[in-house]
Amino acid sequence: MKLENPRDLFVFELSSMYTGEKKIDALLDEVCQTVDDDQLVRMLRDHQKETQQQARNLEQCFQQIGESPREVPCPVVDAIHQEFRQFVGMNPAPQVLAMFALAGADKVEHFEIAAYRGLVNKAMLMGETMCMQLLETNLLQEEETAGKLERYANEMGRKALATA
Ligand SMILES: [Fe+2]
């Protein structure tokens, strides 16, 4: 794809997030099948549904600007996925794995928050209001999810330290 102007960059970054959301859907699925913590699994399953909706919001965003998603990788999500698999391979205790998975999920959210903040700003500067609103919807969900994950991480950490 050509990368010559800010609009090309926007399409590139939007495509990367579209790839990312689909990869996050698969990652959440894998984490839910691996960790042994009902509350965490519920939280991640809820966010998985949101993630699927976020991918659809991005599809709508492409439509709004008269573009289609390009084949752009999302190596940040790949790296977090790889980190999770490596950790699972080290045979951690279930509680330790749940704590690690929670921190990993929060890393994903913060990556997405940064990426969506950048995209919202670019959509605003380009005057793409509908697209900006769709991106803001996704951004808000990521921020709320990060907050929930962090509150639960705190709770889980306290319990783990109390029984250690
Ligand atoms: Fe997301």
Side-chain angles (χ1 to χ4, degrees), residues 83-95:
E83 186 182 53
F84 178 71
R85 283 188 175 165
Q86 278 172 358
F87 196 78
V88 170
M90 292 165 81
N91 217 11
Q95 190 183 39

Side-chain angles (χ1 to χ4, degrees), residues 34 43 59 65 69 106 112 122 129-130 138-139 142 146-147 163:
T34 313
M43 214 178 266
E59 284 164 14
I65 60 168
D106 201 29
E112 292 187 281
K122 286 187 174 85
T129 312
M130 281 297 291
N138 287 8
L139 172 59
E142 314 299 14
T163 54

Side-chain angles (χ1 to χ4, degrees), residues 21 24 47 51 54 112 116 142:
E21 292 293 5
I24 291 163
H47 190 55
T51 298
Q54 288 171 353
E112 292 187 281
Y116 279 125
E142 314 299 14

